[in-house]
Structures are given as C-alpha cells and as structure tokens.
Amino acid sequence: MIYKFNLNTEHENFYNITSYVRQAVMESGVQNGAAVVFCPHTTAGITINENADPDVVTDLLYALDKTYPHRPQFKHAEGNSSAHLKASSIGSSATVIIENNCLVLGKWQGIYFAEFDGPRTRTFMVKVLRD
Ligand code: ZN
C-alpha cells in the first residue's frame, strides 16, 4: 500500500508530517511492519527529530545554513545548490517500525518534511509494509 500526500511549503522549514504518516498506517490496517516515508524531490528531504522544543528545528536550520552556505563558485544554473546539499545531507527517506498499528517513535520524535527551497508544492509518499 502506498499513500501519497501533497504539501504546500511557504519557505525553508521543517514541516511536521507525523500525523499524515499515522493516518496512512491506520488506513492500511497493518498491525506489524514498517512505514517508509519518501520524498521525491532534490531540494527537500525527510528526517526524524525532536518535536517538543521548536528551537531544535530553528537550530537545525541555522546549522545547515552555516554548513552549506551559498557560494559564488557553485555552477548549478538554478542557483540553489545549497538547497541540494542540505537535501542530500538530510536524506530523502525515513523508516519507522509499526507495532499494533502504531508508529514506534521515541517520546520526543516527530517525522519532518524538510523544505530547503520553498515556496513549492511538494509531494511525499508513505509505503506501509506488512510483516
Ligand atoms: Zn537546482
């Protein structure tokens, strides 16, 4: 089973998509297995991180900006190479274990769609695998 979601992003940010992934798992009826969350874009990614303190996301965005600043030496004509670098750094998927039809996440964990190049209309997919 594969579930496809659309997301309109306003700007570079981490968008909490945990509820969408939970919805896909519930609809699938799969009791035990895994959910693969995948982003089919080259300037956005998927990651799992803290969902309690919003300053964590702020700090992640700050640190990614410091690590991958725009550089005049970049050759990519679209001008968004730093967004491509951040997306590769974060990765394009995450896998979460499913137990008793629930996502097995840590108390402070959320699943994020990481936008590095908004505003855009984005898509992400959830593939629910049964044991
Ligand atoms: Zn590009």
Side-chain angles (χ1 to χ4, degrees), residues 7-15 39 41-45 61 64-65 70 76-87 113-122:
L7 183 68
N8 292 316
T9 62
E10 293 170 11
H11 51 79
E12 184 169 348
N13 205 348
F14 281 33
Y15 295 85
C39 163
H41 304 287
T42 58
T43 56
L61 289 166
L64 284 164
D65 260 347
H70 174 72
H76 178 44
E78 194 182 8
N80 61 352
S81 284
S82 57
H84 287 284
L85 285 161
K86 292 171 187 175
F113 184 99
E115 173 62 78
F116 298 117
D117 204 18
R120 295 280 173 100
T121 299
R122 299 296 203 176

PDB file of all heavy atoms in Angstrom, residues 7-15 39 41-45 61 64-65 70 76-87 113-122:
ATOM      1  N   LEU A   7       1.886  18.741  -0.084  1.00  0.00           N
ATOM      2  CA  LEU A   7       2.244  19.704   0.955  1.00  0.00           C
ATOM      3  C   LEU A   7       2.659  21.006   0.282  1.00  0.00           C
ATOM      4  O   LEU A   7       3.537  20.992  -0.588  1.00  0.00           O
ATOM      5  CB  LEU A   7       3.413  19.124   1.777  1.00  0.00           C
ATOM      6  CG  LEU A   7       3.918  19.905   2.972  1.00  0.00           C
ATOM      7  CD1 LEU A   7       2.882  19.933   4.079  1.00  0.00           C
ATOM      8  CD2 LEU A   7       5.219  19.272   3.475  1.00  0.00           C
ATOM      9  N   ASN A   8       2.006  22.105   0.649  1.00  0.00           N
ATOM     10  CA  ASN A   8       2.411  23.417   0.133  1.00  0.00           C
ATOM     11  C   ASN A   8       3.338  24.058   1.154  1.00  0.00           C
ATOM     12  O   ASN A   8       2.913  24.362   2.270  1.00  0.00           O
ATOM     13  CB  ASN A   8       1.184  24.303  -0.107  1.00  0.00           C
ATOM     14  CG  ASN A   8       0.341  23.796  -1.247  1.00  0.00           C
ATOM     15  OD1 ASN A   8       0.870  23.409  -2.297  1.00  0.00           O
ATOM     16  ND2 ASN A   8      -0.961  23.765  -1.062  1.00  0.00           N
ATOM     17  N   THR A   9       4.579  24.253   0.765  1.00  0.00           N
ATOM     18  CA  THR A   9       5.546  24.835   1.690  1.00  0.00           C
ATOM     19  C   THR A   9       5.668  26.325   1.409  1.00  0.00           C
ATOM     20  O   THR A   9       5.573  26.752   0.261  1.00  0.00           O
ATOM     21  CB  THR A   9       6.922  24.165   1.550  1.00  0.00           C
ATOM     22  OG1 THR A   9       7.419  24.392   0.236  1.00  0.00           O
ATOM     23  CG2 THR A   9       6.816  22.666   1.820  1.00  0.00           C
ATOM     24  N   GLU A  10       5.858  27.099   2.475  1.00  0.00           N
ATOM     25  CA  GLU A  10       5.948  28.549   2.316  1.00  0.00           C
ATOM     26  C   GLU A  10       7.391  29.017   2.179  1.00  0.00           C
ATOM     27  O   GLU A  10       7.687  29.987   1.502  1.00  0.00           O
ATOM     28  CB  GLU A  10       5.303  29.240   3.518  1.00  0.00           C
ATOM     29  CG  GLU A  10       3.799  29.015   3.582  1.00  0.00           C
ATOM     30  CD  GLU A  10       3.203  29.497   4.883  1.00  0.00           C
ATOM     31  OE1 GLU A  10       3.895  30.181   5.651  1.00  0.00           O
ATOM     32  OE2 GLU A  10       2.030  29.175   5.128  1.00  0.00           O
ATOM     33  N   HIS A  11       8.276  28.343   2.883  1.00  0.00           N
ATOM     34  CA  HIS A  11       9.679  28.752   2.877  1.00  0.00           C
ATOM     35  C   HIS A  11      10.496  27.612   3.457  1.00  0.00           C
ATOM     36  O   HIS A  11       9.942  26.567   3.831  1.00  0.00           O
ATOM     37  CB  HIS A  11       9.885  30.030   3.700  1.00  0.00           C
ATOM     38  CG  HIS A  11       9.286  29.944   5.074  1.00  0.00           C
ATOM     39  ND1 HIS A  11       9.897  29.289   6.120  1.00  0.00           N
ATOM     40  CD2 HIS A  11       8.102  30.389   5.549  1.00  0.00           C
ATOM     41  CE1 HIS A  11       9.121  29.372   7.181  1.00  0.00           C
ATOM     42  NE2 HIS A  11       8.024  30.028   6.865  1.00  0.00           N
ATOM     43  N   GLU A  12      11.803  27.819   3.519  1.00  0.00           N
ATOM     44  CA  GLU A  12      12.690  26.800   4.080  1.00  0.00           C
ATOM     45  C   GLU A  12      12.284  26.530   5.524  1.00  0.00           C
ATOM     46  O   GLU A  12      12.273  27.437   6.359  1.00  0.00           O
ATOM     47  CB  GLU A  12      14.133  27.292   4.012  1.00  0.00           C
ATOM     48  CG  GLU A  12      15.139  26.270   4.478  1.00  0.00           C
ATOM     49  CD  GLU A  12      16.568  26.678   4.149  1.00  0.00           C
ATOM     50  OE1 GLU A  12      16.766  27.633   3.376  1.00  0.00           O
ATOM     51  OE2 GLU A  12      17.474  26.022   4.667  1.00  0.00           O
ATOM     52  N   ASN A  13      11.949  25.280   5.821  1.00  0.00           N
ATOM     53  CA  ASN A  13      11.498  24.954   7.171  1.00  0.00           C
ATOM     54  C   ASN A  13      11.337  23.447   7.299  1.00  0.00           C
ATOM     55  O   ASN A  13      11.389  22.723   6.297  1.00  0.00           O
ATOM     56  CB  ASN A  13      10.164  25.640   7.458  1.00  0.00           C
ATOM     57  CG  ASN A  13       9.945  25.870   8.934  1.00  0.00           C
ATOM     58  OD1 ASN A  13      10.671  25.343   9.781  1.00  0.00           O
ATOM     59  ND2 ASN A  13       8.948  26.665   9.252  1.00  0.00           N
ATOM     60  N   PHE A  14      11.130  22.987   8.527  1.00  0.00           N
ATOM     61  CA  PHE A  14      10.816  21.585   8.772  1.00  0.00           C
ATOM     62  C   PHE A  14       9.318  21.505   9.067  1.00  0.00           C
ATOM     63  O   PHE A  14       8.843  22.153  10.001  1.00  0.00           O
ATOM     64  CB  PHE A  14      11.598  21.052   9.984  1.00  0.00           C
ATOM     65  CG  PHE A  14      13.031  20.701   9.694  1.00  0.00           C
ATOM     66  CD1 PHE A  14      13.785  21.388   8.765  1.00  0.00           C
ATOM     67  CD2 PHE A  14      13.643  19.662  10.373  1.00  0.00           C
ATOM     68  CE1 PHE A  14      15.109  21.063   8.513  1.00  0.00           C
ATOM     69  CE2 PHE A  14      14.964  19.326  10.130  1.00  0.00           C
ATOM     70  CZ  PHE A  14      15.698  20.032   9.206  1.00  0.00           C
ATOM     71  N   TYR A  15       8.587  20.732   8.274  1.00  0.00           N
ATOM     72  CA  TYR A  15       7.143  20.594   8.423  1.00  0.00           C
ATOM     73  C   TYR A  15       6.851  19.242   9.064  1.00  0.00           C
ATOM     74  O   TYR A  15       7.245  18.198   8.528  1.00  0.00           O
ATOM     75  CB  TYR A  15       6.461  20.710   7.057  1.00  0.00           C
ATOM     76  CG  TYR A  15       6.623  22.094   6.451  1.00  0.00           C
ATOM     77  CD1 TYR A  15       7.764  22.432   5.724  1.00  0.00           C
ATOM     78  CD2 TYR A  15       5.658  23.068   6.649  1.00  0.00           C
ATOM     79  CE1 TYR A  15       7.932  23.709   5.191  1.00  0.00           C
ATOM     80  CE2 TYR A  15       5.811  24.349   6.119  1.00  0.00           C
ATOM     81  CZ  TYR A  15       6.948  24.660   5.405  1.00  0.00           C
ATOM     82  OH  TYR A  15       7.112  25.929   4.890  1.00  0.00           O
ATOM     83  N   CYS A  39      10.547  11.184   0.043  1.00  0.00           N
ATOM     84  CA  CYS A  39      10.403  12.483  -0.596  1.00  0.00           C
ATOM     85  C   CYS A  39      11.015  12.413  -2.000  1.00  0.00           C
ATOM     86  O   CYS A  39      12.210  12.167  -2.125  1.00  0.00           O
ATOM     87  CB  CYS A  39      11.138  13.537   0.244  1.00  0.00           C
ATOM     88  SG  CYS A  39      11.470  15.066  -0.610  1.00  0.00           S
ATOM     89  N   HIS A  41      11.883  14.665  -4.156  1.00  0.00           N
ATOM     90  CA  HIS A  41      12.394  15.966  -4.604  1.00  0.00           C
ATOM     91  C   HIS A  41      13.886  16.071  -4.303  1.00  0.00           C
ATOM     92  O   HIS A  41      14.388  15.407  -3.395  1.00  0.00           O
ATOM     93  CB  HIS A  41      11.648  17.105  -3.893  1.00  0.00           C
ATOM     94  CG  HIS A  41      10.168  17.035  -4.074  1.00  0.00           C
ATOM     95  ND1 HIS A  41       9.535  17.340  -5.256  1.00  0.00           N
ATOM     96  CD2 HIS A  41       9.183  16.662  -3.207  1.00  0.00           C
ATOM     97  CE1 HIS A  41       8.230  17.180  -5.116  1.00  0.00           C
ATOM     98  NE2 HIS A  41       7.991  16.771  -3.889  1.00  0.00           N
ATOM     99  N   THR A  42      14.571  16.934  -5.034  1.00  0.00           N
ATOM    100  CA  THR A  42      16.026  17.033  -4.877  1.00  0.00           C
ATOM    101  C   THR A  42      16.463  18.201  -3.985  1.00  0.00           C
ATOM    102  O   THR A  42      17.653  18.333  -3.685  1.00  0.00           O
ATOM    103  CB  THR A  42      16.713  17.179  -6.249  1.00  0.00           C
ATOM    104  OG1 THR A  42      16.202  18.342  -6.894  1.00  0.00           O
ATOM    105  CG2 THR A  42      16.479  15.943  -7.105  1.00  0.00           C
ATOM    106  N   THR A  43      15.512  19.035  -3.581  1.00  0.00           N
ATOM    107  CA  THR A  43      15.864  20.133  -2.665  1.00  0.00           C
ATOM    108  C   THR A  43      15.000  20.093  -1.407  1.00  0.00           C
ATOM    109  O   THR A  43      14.719  21.115  -0.782  1.00  0.00           O
ATOM    110  CB  THR A  43      15.755  21.514  -3.359  1.00  0.00           C
ATOM    111  OG1 THR A  43      14.432  21.662  -3.887  1.00  0.00           O
ATOM    112  CG2 THR A  43      16.777  21.665  -4.455  1.00  0.00           C
ATOM    113  N   ALA A  44      14.556  18.905  -1.054  1.00  0.00           N
ATOM    114  CA  ALA A  44      13.801  18.680   0.184  1.00  0.00           C
ATOM    115  C   ALA A  44      14.132  17.274   0.659  1.00  0.00           C
ATOM    116  O   ALA A  44      14.674  16.467  -0.103  1.00  0.00           O
ATOM    117  CB  ALA A  44      12.297  18.832  -0.057  1.00  0.00           C
ATOM    118  N   GLY A  45      13.817  16.985   1.909  1.00  0.00           N
ATOM    119  CA  GLY A  45      14.141  15.659   2.431  1.00  0.00           C
ATOM    120  C   GLY A  45      13.200  15.257   3.548  1.00  0.00           C
ATOM    121  O   GLY A  45      12.242  15.975   3.874  1.00  0.00           O
ATOM    122  N   LEU A  61      18.088  24.371  11.224  1.00  0.00           N
ATOM    123  CA  LEU A  61      18.103  25.217  10.027  1.00  0.00           C
ATOM    124  C   LEU A  61      19.309  26.161  10.034  1.00  0.00           C
ATOM    125  O   LEU A  61      19.972  26.357   9.017  1.00  0.00           O
ATOM    126  CB  LEU A  61      16.794  26.018   9.930  1.00  0.00           C
ATOM    127  CG  LEU A  61      15.558  25.188   9.570  1.00  0.00           C
ATOM    128  CD1 LEU A  61      14.281  25.977   9.838  1.00  0.00           C
ATOM    129  CD2 LEU A  61      15.613  24.742   8.112  1.00  0.00           C
ATOM    130  N   LEU A  64      22.490  24.071   9.335  1.00  0.00           N
ATOM    131  CA  LEU A  64      22.573  23.670   7.925  1.00  0.00           C
ATOM    132  C   LEU A  64      22.965  24.860   7.055  1.00  0.00           C
ATOM    133  O   LEU A  64      23.749  24.719   6.112  1.00  0.00           O
ATOM    134  CB  LEU A  64      21.237  23.073   7.470  1.00  0.00           C
ATOM    135  CG  LEU A  64      20.984  21.644   7.966  1.00  0.00           C
ATOM    136  CD1 LEU A  64      19.508  21.275   7.828  1.00  0.00           C
ATOM    137  CD2 LEU A  64      21.858  20.635   7.226  1.00  0.00           C
ATOM    138  N   ASP A  65      22.432  26.052   7.373  1.00  0.00           N
ATOM    139  CA  ASP A  65      22.811  27.263   6.635  1.00  0.00           C
ATOM    140  C   ASP A  65      24.297  27.566   6.783  1.00  0.00           C
ATOM    141  O   ASP A  65      24.967  27.958   5.831  1.00  0.00           O
ATOM    142  CB  ASP A  65      22.013  28.470   7.148  1.00  0.00           C
ATOM    143  CG  ASP A  65      20.849  28.815   6.245  1.00  0.00           C
ATOM    144  OD1 ASP A  65      20.797  28.297   5.107  1.00  0.00           O
ATOM    145  OD2 ASP A  65      19.995  29.591   6.684  1.00  0.00           O
ATOM    146  N   HIS A  70      25.396  29.521   0.470  1.00  0.00           N
ATOM    147  CA  HIS A  70      25.554  29.752  -0.965  1.00  0.00           C
ATOM    148  C   HIS A  70      26.990  30.187  -1.239  1.00  0.00           C
ATOM    149  O   HIS A  70      27.555  30.987  -0.501  1.00  0.00           O
ATOM    150  CB  HIS A  70      24.596  30.845  -1.450  1.00  0.00           C
ATOM    151  CG  HIS A  70      24.833  31.193  -2.877  1.00  0.00           C
ATOM    152  ND1 HIS A  70      24.487  30.356  -3.913  1.00  0.00           N
ATOM    153  CD2 HIS A  70      25.453  32.264  -3.443  1.00  0.00           C
ATOM    154  CE1 HIS A  70      24.866  30.897  -5.064  1.00  0.00           C
ATOM    155  NE2 HIS A  70      25.447  32.063  -4.794  1.00  0.00           N
ATOM    156  N   HIS A  76      25.767  25.212 -10.644  1.00  0.00           N
ATOM    157  CA  HIS A  76      24.378  24.864 -10.956  1.00  0.00           C
ATOM    158  C   HIS A  76      23.578  26.123 -11.298  1.00  0.00           C
ATOM    159  O   HIS A  76      23.426  27.022 -10.462  1.00  0.00           O
ATOM    160  CB  HIS A  76      23.775  24.144  -9.742  1.00  0.00           C
ATOM    161  CG  HIS A  76      22.349  23.757  -9.878  1.00  0.00           C
ATOM    162  ND1 HIS A  76      21.817  23.185 -11.013  1.00  0.00           N
ATOM    163  CD2 HIS A  76      21.318  23.836  -8.988  1.00  0.00           C
ATOM    164  CE1 HIS A  76      20.539  22.948 -10.820  1.00  0.00           C
ATOM    165  NE2 HIS A  76      20.204  23.336  -9.600  1.00  0.00           N
ATOM    166  N   ALA A  77      23.057  26.176 -12.553  1.00  0.00           N
ATOM    167  CA  ALA A  77      22.440  27.406 -13.076  1.00  0.00           C
ATOM    168  C   ALA A  77      21.188  27.830 -12.307  1.00  0.00           C
ATOM    169  O   ALA A  77      20.853  29.015 -12.284  1.00  0.00           O
ATOM    170  CB  ALA A  77      22.099  27.220 -14.555  1.00  0.00           C
ATOM    171  N   GLU A  78      20.479  26.894 -11.699  1.00  0.00           N
ATOM    172  CA  GLU A  78      19.258  27.249 -10.978  1.00  0.00           C
ATOM    173  C   GLU A  78      19.557  28.101  -9.744  1.00  0.00           C
ATOM    174  O   GLU A  78      18.673  28.784  -9.221  1.00  0.00           O
ATOM    175  CB  GLU A  78      18.495  25.974 -10.590  1.00  0.00           C
ATOM    176  CG  GLU A  78      17.068  26.221 -10.153  1.00  0.00           C
ATOM    177  CD  GLU A  78      16.358  24.948  -9.720  1.00  0.00           C
ATOM    178  OE1 GLU A  78      17.001  23.884  -9.606  1.00  0.00           O
ATOM    179  OE2 GLU A  78      15.141  25.025  -9.477  1.00  0.00           O
ATOM    180  N   GLY A  79      20.808  28.044  -9.268  1.00  0.00           N
ATOM    181  CA  GLY A  79      21.211  28.895  -8.153  1.00  0.00           C
ATOM    182  C   GLY A  79      20.816  28.390  -6.780  1.00  0.00           C
ATOM    183  O   GLY A  79      20.850  29.144  -5.806  1.00  0.00           O
ATOM    184  N   ASN A  80      20.443  27.125  -6.687  1.00  0.00           N
ATOM    185  CA  ASN A  80      20.009  26.607  -5.386  1.00  0.00           C
ATOM    186  C   ASN A  80      20.840  25.397  -4.927  1.00  0.00           C
ATOM    187  O   ASN A  80      20.313  24.464  -4.318  1.00  0.00           O
ATOM    188  CB  ASN A  80      18.516  26.261  -5.426  1.00  0.00           C
ATOM    189  CG  ASN A  80      18.197  25.183  -6.446  1.00  0.00           C
ATOM    190  OD1 ASN A  80      19.057  24.789  -7.232  1.00  0.00           O
ATOM    191  ND2 ASN A  80      16.965  24.703  -6.438  1.00  0.00           N
ATOM    192  N   SER A  81      22.125  25.457  -5.215  1.00  0.00           N
ATOM    193  CA  SER A  81      22.992  24.327  -4.847  1.00  0.00           C
ATOM    194  C   SER A  81      23.027  24.080  -3.347  1.00  0.00           C
ATOM    195  O   SER A  81      23.134  22.927  -2.910  1.00  0.00           O
ATOM    196  CB  SER A  81      24.411  24.541  -5.367  1.00  0.00           C
ATOM    197  OG  SER A  81      24.439  24.283  -6.748  1.00  0.00           O
ATOM    198  N   SER A  82      22.946  25.145  -2.551  1.00  0.00           N
ATOM    199  CA  SER A  82      22.955  24.901  -1.103  1.00  0.00           C
ATOM    200  C   SER A  82      21.726  24.097  -0.690  1.00  0.00           C
ATOM    201  O   SER A  82      21.803  23.239   0.193  1.00  0.00           O
ATOM    202  CB  SER A  82      23.079  26.194  -0.309  1.00  0.00           C
ATOM    203  OG  SER A  82      22.050  27.069  -0.625  1.00  0.00           O
ATOM    204  N   ALA A  83      20.592  24.304  -1.353  1.00  0.00           N
ATOM    205  CA  ALA A  83      19.387  23.510  -1.062  1.00  0.00           C
ATOM    206  C   ALA A  83      19.608  22.048  -1.453  1.00  0.00           C
ATOM    207  O   ALA A  83      19.192  21.134  -0.736  1.00  0.00           O
ATOM    208  CB  ALA A  83      18.180  24.077  -1.804  1.00  0.00           C
ATOM    209  N   HIS A  84      20.270  21.820  -2.575  1.00  0.00           N
ATOM    210  CA  HIS A  84      20.576  20.433  -2.978  1.00  0.00           C
ATOM    211  C   HIS A  84      21.506  19.775  -1.959  1.00  0.00           C
ATOM    212  O   HIS A  84      21.326  18.601  -1.612  1.00  0.00           O
ATOM    213  CB  HIS A  84      21.236  20.420  -4.361  1.00  0.00           C
ATOM    214  CG  HIS A  84      20.299  20.723  -5.492  1.00  0.00           C
ATOM    215  ND1 HIS A  84      19.390  19.816  -5.979  1.00  0.00           N
ATOM    216  CD2 HIS A  84      20.143  21.842  -6.239  1.00  0.00           C
ATOM    217  CE1 HIS A  84      18.709  20.370  -6.981  1.00  0.00           C
ATOM    218  NE2 HIS A  84      19.147  21.598  -7.156  1.00  0.00           N
ATOM    219  N   LEU A  85      22.493  20.513  -1.487  1.00  0.00           N
ATOM    220  CA  LEU A  85      23.442  19.961  -0.497  1.00  0.00           C
ATOM    221  C   LEU A  85      22.725  19.611   0.808  1.00  0.00           C
ATOM    222  O   LEU A  85      22.964  18.551   1.395  1.00  0.00           O
ATOM    223  CB  LEU A  85      24.557  20.969  -0.228  1.00  0.00           C
ATOM    224  CG  LEU A  85      25.596  21.100  -1.331  1.00  0.00           C
ATOM    225  CD1 LEU A  85      26.364  22.391  -1.208  1.00  0.00           C
ATOM    226  CD2 LEU A  85      26.534  19.905  -1.313  1.00  0.00           C
ATOM    227  N   LYS A  86      21.856  20.508   1.258  1.00  0.00           N
ATOM    228  CA  LYS A  86      21.114  20.240   2.503  1.00  0.00           C
ATOM    229  C   LYS A  86      20.223  19.013   2.335  1.00  0.00           C
ATOM    230  O   LYS A  86      20.129  18.178   3.249  1.00  0.00           O
ATOM    231  CB  LYS A  86      20.259  21.455   2.878  1.00  0.00           C
ATOM    232  CG  LYS A  86      21.076  22.662   3.299  1.00  0.00           C
ATOM    233  CD  LYS A  86      20.172  23.882   3.448  1.00  0.00           C
ATOM    234  CE  LYS A  86      20.981  25.136   3.691  1.00  0.00           C
ATOM    235  NZ  LYS A  86      20.132  26.338   3.715  1.00  0.00           N
ATOM    236  N   ALA A  87      19.573  18.882   1.178  1.00  0.00           N
ATOM    237  CA  ALA A  87      18.687  17.733   0.941  1.00  0.00           C
ATOM    238  C   ALA A  87      19.476  16.427   0.972  1.00  0.00           C
ATOM    239  O   ALA A  87      19.028  15.433   1.566  1.00  0.00           O
ATOM    240  CB  ALA A  87      17.973  17.899  -0.402  1.00  0.00           C
ATOM    241  N   PHE A 113       9.069  16.734   7.056  1.00  0.00           N
ATOM    242  CA  PHE A 113       9.399  17.038   5.668  1.00  0.00           C
ATOM    243  C   PHE A 113      10.275  18.289   5.734  1.00  0.00           C
ATOM    244  O   PHE A 113       9.834  19.335   6.215  1.00  0.00           O
ATOM    245  CB  PHE A 113       8.128  17.312   4.853  1.00  0.00           C
ATOM    246  CG  PHE A 113       8.392  17.536   3.397  1.00  0.00           C
ATOM    247  CD1 PHE A 113       8.214  16.511   2.488  1.00  0.00           C
ATOM    248  CD2 PHE A 113       8.836  18.770   2.946  1.00  0.00           C
ATOM    249  CE1 PHE A 113       8.467  16.707   1.138  1.00  0.00           C
ATOM    250  CE2 PHE A 113       9.101  18.976   1.597  1.00  0.00           C
ATOM    251  CZ  PHE A 113       8.912  17.940   0.696  1.00  0.00           C
ATOM    252  N   ALA A 114      11.500  18.179   5.288  1.00  0.00           N
ATOM    253  CA  ALA A 114      12.449  19.293   5.368  1.00  0.00           C
ATOM    254  C   ALA A 114      12.507  20.002   4.016  1.00  0.00           C
ATOM    255  O   ALA A 114      13.004  19.461   3.033  1.00  0.00           O
ATOM    256  CB  ALA A 114      13.835  18.764   5.759  1.00  0.00           C
ATOM    257  N   GLU A 115      11.957  21.206   4.001  1.00  0.00           N
ATOM    258  CA  GLU A 115      11.962  22.037   2.783  1.00  0.00           C
ATOM    259  C   GLU A 115      13.174  22.955   2.808  1.00  0.00           C
ATOM    260  O   GLU A 115      13.385  23.672   3.786  1.00  0.00           O
ATOM    261  CB  GLU A 115      10.675  22.871   2.728  1.00  0.00           C
ATOM    262  CG  GLU A 115      10.618  23.896   1.612  1.00  0.00           C
ATOM    263  CD  GLU A 115      10.676  23.253   0.234  1.00  0.00           C
ATOM    264  OE1 GLU A 115       9.645  22.727  -0.213  1.00  0.00           O
ATOM    265  OE2 GLU A 115      11.770  23.276  -0.379  1.00  0.00           O
ATOM    266  N   PHE A 116      13.952  22.913   1.725  1.00  0.00           N
ATOM    267  CA  PHE A 116      15.132  23.781   1.653  1.00  0.00           C
ATOM    268  C   PHE A 116      15.032  24.799   0.524  1.00  0.00           C
ATOM    269  O   PHE A 116      15.980  25.514   0.263  1.00  0.00           O
ATOM    270  CB  PHE A 116      16.396  22.925   1.488  1.00  0.00           C
ATOM    271  CG  PHE A 116      16.621  22.009   2.660  1.00  0.00           C
ATOM    272  CD1 PHE A 116      16.598  20.628   2.503  1.00  0.00           C
ATOM    273  CD2 PHE A 116      16.828  22.523   3.930  1.00  0.00           C
ATOM    274  CE1 PHE A 116      16.783  19.789   3.597  1.00  0.00           C
ATOM    275  CE2 PHE A 116      17.009  21.700   5.031  1.00  0.00           C
ATOM    276  CZ  PHE A 116      16.984  20.330   4.850  1.00  0.00           C
ATOM    277  N   ASP A 117      13.871  24.842  -0.147  1.00  0.00           N
ATOM    278  CA  ASP A 117      13.796  25.646  -1.362  1.00  0.00           C
ATOM    279  C   ASP A 117      12.395  26.188  -1.621  1.00  0.00           C
ATOM    280  O   ASP A 117      12.023  26.358  -2.772  1.00  0.00           O
ATOM    281  CB  ASP A 117      14.244  24.773  -2.545  1.00  0.00           C
ATOM    282  CG  ASP A 117      14.746  25.593  -3.708  1.00  0.00           C
ATOM    283  OD1 ASP A 117      15.078  26.777  -3.519  1.00  0.00           O
ATOM    284  OD2 ASP A 117      14.812  25.044  -4.813  1.00  0.00           O
ATOM    285  N   GLY A 118      11.602  26.452  -0.597  1.00  0.00           N
ATOM    286  CA  GLY A 118      10.233  26.885  -0.827  1.00  0.00           C
ATOM    287  C   GLY A 118      10.138  28.304  -1.334  1.00  0.00           C
ATOM    288  O   GLY A 118      11.164  29.003  -1.405  1.00  0.00           O
ATOM    289  N   PRO A 119       8.944  28.794  -1.653  1.00  0.00           N
ATOM    290  CA  PRO A 119       7.684  28.034  -1.580  1.00  0.00           C
ATOM    291  C   PRO A 119       7.526  27.083  -2.766  1.00  0.00           C
ATOM    292  O   PRO A 119       7.865  27.433  -3.889  1.00  0.00           O
ATOM    293  CB  PRO A 119       6.619  29.141  -1.637  1.00  0.00           C
ATOM    294  CG  PRO A 119       7.276  30.280  -2.362  1.00  0.00           C
ATOM    295  CD  PRO A 119       8.746  30.188  -2.063  1.00  0.00           C
ATOM    296  N   ARG A 120       7.022  25.903  -2.466  1.00  0.00           N
ATOM    297  CA  ARG A 120       6.819  24.889  -3.502  1.00  0.00           C
ATOM    298  C   ARG A 120       5.581  24.061  -3.159  1.00  0.00           C
ATOM    299  O   ARG A 120       5.184  23.967  -2.002  1.00  0.00           O
ATOM    300  CB  ARG A 120       8.016  23.918  -3.561  1.00  0.00           C
ATOM    301  CG  ARG A 120       9.333  24.522  -3.988  1.00  0.00           C
ATOM    302  CD  ARG A 120       9.396  24.669  -5.505  1.00  0.00           C
ATOM    303  NE  ARG A 120      10.593  25.405  -5.895  1.00  0.00           N
ATOM    304  CZ  ARG A 120      11.712  24.835  -6.338  1.00  0.00           C
ATOM    305  NH1 ARG A 120      11.786  23.529  -6.440  1.00  0.00           N
ATOM    306  NH2 ARG A 120      12.752  25.570  -6.685  1.00  0.00           N
ATOM    307  N   THR A 121       5.027  23.435  -4.175  1.00  0.00           N
ATOM    308  CA  THR A 121       4.020  22.393  -3.960  1.00  0.00           C
ATOM    309  C   THR A 121       4.764  21.072  -3.991  1.00  0.00           C
ATOM    310  O   THR A 121       5.385  20.728  -4.996  1.00  0.00           O
ATOM    311  CB  THR A 121       2.937  22.424  -5.048  1.00  0.00           C
ATOM    312  OG1 THR A 121       2.295  23.707  -4.985  1.00  0.00           O
ATOM    313  CG2 THR A 121       1.910  21.331  -4.819  1.00  0.00           C
ATOM    314  N   ARG A 122       4.740  20.380  -2.871  1.00  0.00           N
ATOM    315  CA  ARG A 122       5.544  19.161  -2.712  1.00  0.00           C
ATOM    316  C   ARG A 122       4.674  17.934  -2.544  1.00  0.00           C
ATOM    317  O   ARG A 122       3.484  18.027  -2.234  1.00  0.00           O
ATOM    318  CB  ARG A 122       6.440  19.296  -1.470  1.00  0.00           C
ATOM    319  CG  ARG A 122       7.431  20.442  -1.523  1.00  0.00           C
ATOM    320  CD  ARG A 122       8.437  20.284  -2.616  1.00  0.00           C
ATOM    321  NE  ARG A 122       9.654  21.053  -2.327  1.00  0.00           N
ATOM    322  CZ  ARG A 122      10.728  21.035  -3.087  1.00  0.00           C
ATOM    323  NH1 ARG A 122      10.758  20.325  -4.204  1.00  0.00           N
ATOM    324  NH2 ARG A 122      11.791  21.740  -2.748  1.00  0.00           N
TER     325      ARG A 122
END
